[in-house]
Amino acid sequence: MSTAVPHAPRSEISVRRPEAERMGFFTDTTVCIGCKACEVACKQWNDLPADGSTFRKGGSYDHTGELGAATWRHVRFVEQLEPSPLSVSEAHDLDLVAMASERAPAEVDVAAAVADMSRWIFMSDVCKHCTNAGCMDACPTGALVRTEFETVIVQQDVCNGCGYCVPSCPFGVIDRDHQDGRAAKCTLCYDRLQDGLEPACAKACPTDSIQFGPYDELLDVAERRVATLHDRGRTDAYLYGAGDAPGEEVAGGLGAFFLLTDPPERYGLPAQADSPIQENVVTATAAAVAAGLAAATGVAVAFGAAKRGWTGARPGGLLTLAAAAAGAVEVVRDLREGGRRRDRAHGHAAVPRAQGRADQGETRSEGHPR
């Protein structure tokens, strides 16, 4: 299977080298063991502060909780909980004290405990380095730039801490540092890439759950991995953020994509995502044109009234301008209604796949999805 590699517009690439090619991450969640070696390696290499190692309520071993300005890698812990076989009426009649007193102490069944690990899902989350990067679109100072490897980095000396990039990221990746207010996120170890080195997180991963390399090679590896899992009976395996049909890409195609076996929402990922600015650029442009025509109409009316009086103004020209402005407003309404219809169509189309996986059981996330 061969899939076209998505590329950002050449005009977006701030650093250019003829020999450079798009680099990225492929994360296979089926072999992630939740060891957090990637988190430690990322913090150590980038000199990021620790998260405190505080056991918080419902947090299990997930100290970090979410991606942030000082946490550029986050291993998400998700526990799959099967529905209880007891009905609601039976649950109300349970005598928990009697059950506890009747239970005899027993040794831990190691084999059962290991088998029980299949209820857990681990995923190492990171910046997606989107082809359509919402953070770049929103940045007013040019602090966020695209490198020769088509990754997105923050220039700390240019960032003014406005925070516009934070709500513009559909994945909740980038954040402002609580001390100096400037934005920060994963750089895909740009300093290491410049020296031909592998990013620290991928280097530290003991199971090769995180794989790094040229994007086209990673995509080929990922597609073959999905095919292998399907042959083994894991037909629920699929790629998130890569290999999508044209026009259906997540944020134009992700530079860091994933192999998942459950709906993306269970991993704290959105089913559909794009840069808010690029998503609304057509309607916003049409609205600007309509506003301009309306303003021109008002100016023409005022000018005509002042020069000739209302009785002497030429109604034909004014009516033409008014009709043009009204037409532009209708175009905006049609575009917005078309967008709503497309959103509803996408929503209905996505239900069968997500619903099929959701039937496997309810979930509880140990982190705090952003």
Side-chain angles (χ1 to χ4, degrees), residues 2-3 7 29 43 66 72 75 109 112 123 131 140 144 174 196 208 279 305 311 350 355 367-368:
S2 178
T3 306
H7 289 286
T29 62
K43 285 183 174 293
E66 59 188 4
W72 300 353
V75 178
D109 188 340
M123 185 199 75
T131 303
L144 282 145
I174 195 166
D208 277 342
E279 188 174 321
T311 56
Q355 185 64 43
H368 295 283

Side-chain angles (χ1 to χ4, degrees), residues 273-298:
D274 206 348
S275 162
I277 293 179
Q278 297 198 24
E279 188 174 321
N280 298 317
V281 66
V282 176
T283 53
T285 302
V289 172
L293 289 173
T297 302

Side-chain angles (χ1 to χ4, degrees), residues 58 62 76-79 266-268 363-369:
D62 188 2
R76 192 179 299 278
F77 286 58
V78 181
E79 184 178 9
R266 287 192 177 175
Y267 301 86
T363 62
R364 175 171 62 85
S365 174
E366 294 290 347
H368 295 283

Side-chain angles (χ1 to χ4, degrees), residues 17 28 65 85 134 183 200 223 233 247 254 290 297 303 331:
R17 288 197 327 208
D28 184 351
E223 290 174 341
L254 305 184
T297 302
F303 180 78
V331 168

Side-chain angles (χ1 to χ4, degrees), residues 12-360:
E12 277 190 8
I13 300 176
S14 301
V15 183
R16 299 181 184 178
R17 288 197 327 208
E19 70 279 8
E21 54 185 332
R22 184 168 195 180
M23 309 297 283
F25 284 131
F26 163 49
T27 302
D28 184 351
T29 62
T30 63
V31 295
C32 179
I33 59 175
C35 67
K36 290 183 173 282
C38 53
E39 282 192 19
V40 176
C42 176
K43 285 183 174 293
Q44 187 174 33
W45 179 261
N46 294 290
D47 197 22
L48 299 173
D51 293 298
S53 298
T54 303
F55 285 93
R56 51 193 174 75
K57 186 176 181 180
S60 184
Y61 294 103
D62 188 2
H63 306 307
T64 53
E66 59 188 4
L67 293 171
T71 301
W72 300 353
R73 267 280 178 188
H74 170 232
V75 178
R76 192 179 299 278
F77 286 58
V78 181
E79 184 178 9
Q80 295 178 305
L81 301 177
E82 294 294 332
S84 172
L86 296 173
S87 64
V88 175
S89 59
E90 291 175 326
H92 283 304
D93 296 334
L94 285 177
D95 188 345
L96 299 179
V97 176
M99 289 178 61
S101 61
E102 293 173 0
R103 176 175 296 178
E107 295 182 358
V108 175
D109 188 340
V110 177
V114 172
D116 200 42
M117 285 295 293
S118 62
R119 295 192 300 113
W120 286 89
I121 297 174
F122 305 111
M123 185 199 75
S124 181
D125 200 8
V126 71
C127 174
K128 315 305 182 292
H129 297 276
C130 311
T131 303
N132 295 341
C135 56
M136 277 189 63
D137 293 337
C139 182
T141 64
L144 282 145
V145 297
R146 196 177 296 276
T147 72
E148 66 269 36
F149 305 108
E150 298 194 37
T151 59
V152 180
I153 64 172
V154 182
Q155 300 179 101
Q156 292 291 317
D157 57 335
V158 182
C159 178
N160 66 356
C162 67
Y164 294 164
C165 54
V166 177
S168 298
C169 174
F171 302 100
V173 169
I174 195 166
D175 199 5
R176 294 171 62 197
D177 188 281
H178 65 88
Q179 292 182 342
D180 63 18
R182 293 180 296 181
K185 70 172 193 67
C186 162
T187 66
L188 214 145
C189 282
Y190 183 51
D191 52 345
R192 293 175 65 91
L193 263 60
Q194 289 176 307
D195 291 330
L197 299 175
E198 186 178 18
C201 56
K203 185 76 172 178
C205 182
T207 63
D208 277 342
S209 172
I210 303 171
Q211 299 183 40
F212 164 79
Y215 191 92
D216 53 348
E217 296 179 11
L218 287 178
L219 190 56
D220 182 61
V221 169
E223 290 174 341
R224 286 190 280 111
R225 173 62 176 166
V226 171
T228 299
L229 290 174
H230 285 184
D231 292 340
R232 295 177 181 174
R234 295 296 306 270
T235 56
D236 53 354
Y238 67 101
L239 295 181
Y240 176 85
D244 297 317
E248 297 182 2
E249 301 95 341
V250 178
L254 305 184
F257 58 94
F258 304 83
L259 188 156
L260 307 178
T261 55
D262 282 276
E265 293 87 349
R266 287 192 177 175
Y267 301 86
L269 298 170
Q272 299 289 337
D274 206 348
S275 162
I277 293 179
Q278 297 198 24
E279 188 174 321
N280 298 317
V281 66
V282 176
T283 53
T285 302
V289 172
L293 289 173
T297 302
V299 170
V301 169
F303 180 78
K307 185 175 181 180
R308 303 182 181 181
W310 285 104
T311 56
R314 295 181 181 178
L318 300 180
L319 288 175
T320 301
L321 288 172
V329 172
E330 289 300 320
V331 168
V332 174
R333 289 176 180 170
D334 291 342
L335 287 170
R336 287 180 175 172
E337 183 60 31
R340 294 191 188 101
R341 287 195 296 269
R342 285 194 299 274
D343 291 341
R344 288 194 292 269
H346 281 307
H348 293 317
V351 166
R353 185 176 77 172
Q355 185 64 43
R357 298 195 182 94
D359 291 340
Q360 297 175 2

